[in-house]
Amino acid sequence: MKATQEQLSIVSASKSFDDMTINACAGSGKTSSLKMITQARPEANALLFCFNKSIQQQAQASMPTWCKSSTFHGIAYGQVGKFFNHKLNVPLSPFSICRALRMKPHERNVHLATVAKYTLRRFCQSDDNAILGFHVPNESVMSKEPNDRNSFKEEVVHIARKLWVLAMNPKEKDVGIEHDYYQKAFDLDGARIPGKYDVILVDEAQDMTPVNLSILRKQYGQKILVGDSCQSLYQWKGSIDSLETWDATHRLHLTKSFRFGSVLADCANSVLALLDNPIPKIVGAEWKNSRIEYGAPKERHVVLCRSNSGLLGEAVRAIDLGRTIHVIGSLMDSINLIESAWFLSIGEMGKVKHPTMKLMGTWENVVEMAKEDADMNIAVKRVDEYGSGIPLLCDKLRSAGEVSEEKAEIILSTVHKFKGKQFPIVKLADDYPDLVRWNKKDRRYKPNKAEIFVFYVAVTRAEDVLIGNSTVMNLRTMKELL
């Protein structure tokens, strides 16, 4: 593939040895651009941080020999994690936490242990040096009476700190750890990476956790961060768009997409035009005859949903039509979520299995959070829609099962699970929230930035045909409201 002018400019800027960011639109050849950068500098030892293991393996096979590919967890495992390998497969359940901390496993303590586990998970993704009250998940705090919230947080923090000490003791073989634990320990210990690298490249830099950034800041050498700010989907989990925050000398863009043609590029631009800040327009591939259609496709296709509960509804419709399905991720997670939502709504806490619903504590909290959270909103709608028929519906889905991705007529996924993938025909489900909302304080419509990013990722997964939904149809109207 011939390099574009944008790619040539990026290669030239990389030779300055100054830090730089590359904001690359969907399908614009990030990987090939990274390869061009490293090939242009064979004298420079390079380290490429990839988003996950599968991407790292692909990068290692395609990048020059003087560029090492790894994940942040991979580097941390080699320095710290290997000493805790025997603890990675030890279950870290609320009951095992109670047993390790000598807490009686009654309902309140089991709940405290559950919240402490999620508190520790949030601490491990942060760049903080100590476990503090703001690491306690807000959902669990809001489920308590206002006067009890501070004391509840203090109790959870105390348990989480004790759990951290036991987890990071290799001799405590009965207390398991998660992969984020040794990554956090690696950062706290100074994040010393063996070897000397002249340049460090980071892929998917729009979704870095604070601990990833902390590790990166501790390294010497030139930093080149690549990603797409408009695909930043995990800010609600505390991730940071380092393309915006990193102090870089050069800030460059890749705007030419090789994935789809001008029609889908125009659709993506219409979605991003809802944002307040101007974004460089995406240019589609002139040789691609992409198009937007509506209705139910007969050909094999992917259905992209905004939420797990929305995915469940699409799975039911597909099975009722006699189509074979495959779910990217876990169909069981979607089933457990809606089933737990139903049992929580009728007060049967003993049957609530999904961790998110356990943290919510009461159905009233779910209904309140549904005003802001897409998954909770669809879960409430599904409970209202199916009611007492939910257990039977879930049993039907379990018995229907799913086939392999290669054999499925319909592939189902949430947008988050399909990020980084693409498919010839993509259908959008109708569970996406409004991309613009009425702001009571300012008395005007304002863009819903997080949902605009999600919808942008959804429409840019199609290569040839995008089967639109009501949101696609109303993009012009939404722009006029702003």
Side-chain angles (χ1 to χ4, degrees):
M1 183 178 68
K2 185 179 178 181
T4 65
Q5 188 56 52
E6 288 177 329
Q7 289 175 321
L8 292 174
S9 298
I10 285 168
V11 171
S12 177
S14 71
K15 295 178 181 179
S16 68
F17 297 95
D18 296 320
D19 285 7
M20 61 188 291
T21 62
I22 305 168
N23 225 317
C25 77
S28 59
K30 281 189 309 173
T31 303
S32 59
S33 298
L34 289 170
K35 189 174 180 179
M36 289 176 193
I37 290 171
T38 53
Q39 284 178 331
R41 295 168 60 184
E43 78 288 349
N45 287 327
L47 172 63
L48 169 61
F49 279 116
C50 301
F51 188 68
N52 57 38
K53 185 67 175 178
S54 63
I55 295 174
Q56 180 264 323
Q57 289 172 338
Q58 293 171 21
Q60 193 64 59
S62 62
M63 297 296 281
T65 55
W66 54 89
C67 178
K68 177 182 178 180
S69 301
S70 182
T71 62
F72 281 96
H73 283 95
I75 289 289
Y77 181 85
Q79 299 304 110
V80 175
K82 61 185 179 183
F83 300 112
F84 296 89
N85 186 60
H86 60 288
K87 301 183 66 160
L88 284 169
N89 294 320
V90 177
L92 192 64
S93 68
F95 290 100
S96 67
I97 292 171
C98 286
R99 186 166 57 250
L101 298 180
R102 293 180 173 80
M103 297 162 55
K104 292 183 178 179
H106 54 67
E107 185 175 336
R108 184 174 184 277
N109 281 349
V110 169
H111 177 64
L112 283 168
T114 301
V115 179
K117 176 182 175 179
Y118 283 92
T119 299
L120 193 51
R121 189 174 289 175
R122 290 184 64 180
F123 164 68
C124 288
Q125 292 175 345
S126 75
D127 58 359
D128 302 310
N129 294 323
I131 303 169
L132 300 170
F134 55 79
H135 294 126
V136 181
N138 192 51
E139 308 96 289
S140 61
V141 177
M142 297 307 292
S143 68
K144 306 296 178 282
E145 293 295 326
N147 293 336
D148 297 333
R149 289 171 185 171
N150 284 336
S151 60
F152 173 75
K153 283 202 288 188
E154 289 174 2
E155 194 169 7
V156 170
V157 167
H158 178 68
I159 294 171
R161 287 174 176 173
K162 289 170 68 176
L163 178 60
W164 173 250
V165 172
L166 292 177
M168 298 319 295
N169 183 348
K171 294 181 180 179
E172 290 286 348
K173 297 180 180 180
D174 294 331
V175 182
I177 69 166
E178 297 178 350
H179 289 277
D180 282 348
Y181 288 24
Y182 63 73
Q183 180 182 237
K184 181 64 177 178
F186 172 64
D187 180 49
L188 291 174
D189 197 38
R192 290 179 290 275
I193 297 177
K196 183 178 182 296
Y197 295 99
D198 303 298
V199 56
I200 296 178
L201 308 107
V202 182
D203 193 11
E204 298 291 342
Q206 79 281 351
D207 273 324
M208 294 183 70
T209 61
V211 70
N212 291 159
L213 276 171
S214 179
I215 292 170
L216 188 63
R217 290 192 188 100
K218 292 181 173 74
Q219 311 310 317
Y220 295 102
Q222 180 188 20
K223 315 296 191 309
I224 299 177
L225 282 64
V226 188
D228 184 352
S229 289
C230 297
Q231 294 192 50
S232 181
L233 301 189
Y234 296 98
Q235 291 186 11
W236 59 278
K237 289 176 67 176
S239 71
I240 296 170
D241 179 10
S242 60
L243 297 170
E244 296 293 327
T245 61
W246 194 264
D247 185 18
T249 304
H250 305 285
R251 296 188 181 279
L252 302 174
H253 291 83
L254 287 172
T255 60
K256 170 79 175 208
S257 179
F258 301 97
R259 180 178 299 165
F260 42 74
S262 59
V263 172
L264 295 188
D266 290 344
C267 180
N269 287 328
S270 297
V271 175
L272 298 180
L274 300 174
L275 296 168
D276 291 328
N277 52 315
I279 291 172
K281 285 190 177 294
I282 300 169
V283 179
E286 57 273 11
W287 61 86
K288 295 280 285 188
N289 187 28
S290 302
R291 62 190 187 276
I292 298 175
E293 297 179 354
Y294 295 91
K298 295 180 181 179
E299 303 91 341
R300 185 168 181 262
H301 63 279
V302 168
V303 178
L304 288 184
C305 308
R306 172 61 183 88
S307 64
N308 282 313
S309 301
L311 187 148
L312 194 69
E314 291 292 331
V316 171
R317 278 188 281 275
I319 290 170
D320 286 344
L321 291 170
R323 309 290 294 273
T324 56
I325 67 168
H326 175 82
V327 177
I328 303 288
S330 172
L331 177 61
M332 289 305 299
D333 187 64
S334 300
I335 293 172
N336 290 337
L337 176 69
I338 195 69
E339 195 170 45
S340 293
W342 164 248
F343 287 126
L344 185 62
S345 73
I346 60 175
E348 293 195 28
M349 278 299 297
K351 295 182 179 180
V352 176
K353 304 299 182 185
H354 197 277
T356 301
M357 290 298 167
K358 281 185 177 181
L359 284 177
M360 297 305 293
T362 68
W363 183 244
E364 289 73 22
N365 291 329
V366 175
V367 173
E368 184 63 29
M369 184 157 281
K371 297 174 183 177
E372 300 294 332
D373 185 271
D375 253 339
M376 294 301 106
N377 181 269
I378 299 297
V380 170
K381 286 182 179 179
R382 290 288 178 263
V383 169
D384 291 341
E385 181 181 356
Y386 296 113
S388 59
I390 284 176
L392 188 62
L393 176 71
C394 292
D395 286 342
K396 176 182 177 181
L397 284 166
R398 288 190 184 99
S399 60
E402 54 180 318
V403 299
S404 67
E405 183 175 342
E406 295 75 21
K407 295 180 179 179
E409 296 173 89
I410 299 177
I411 300 166
L412 299 164
S413 178
T414 61
V415 178
H416 289 76
K417 288 286 196 310
F418 208 71
K419 187 168 173 284
K421 300 176 185 290
Q422 58 200 59
F423 205 79
I425 303 175
V426 172
K427 180 179 184 292
L428 302 179
D430 243 324
D431 66 332
Y432 294 82
D434 294 333
L435 303 187
V436 298
R437 287 180 177 175
W438 178 255
N439 186 286
K440 292 181 180 179
K441 182 180 178 181
D442 295 338
R443 297 188 61 78
R444 70 180 183 90
Y445 283 96
K446 299 184 78 172
N448 186 351
K449 184 177 178 180
E451 293 303 332
I452 289 171
F453 284 173
V454 172
F455 199 67
Y456 161 72
V457 172
V459 301
T460 55
R461 298 309 95 191
E463 298 171 340
D464 302 320
V465 182
L466 177 70
I467 309 297
N469 59 5
S470 58
T471 307
V472 174
M473 295 177 69
N474 292 322
L475 284 173
R476 182 176 295 180
T477 303
M478 286 186 273
K479 181 62 177 176
E480 291 171 354
L481 288 173
L482 296 172

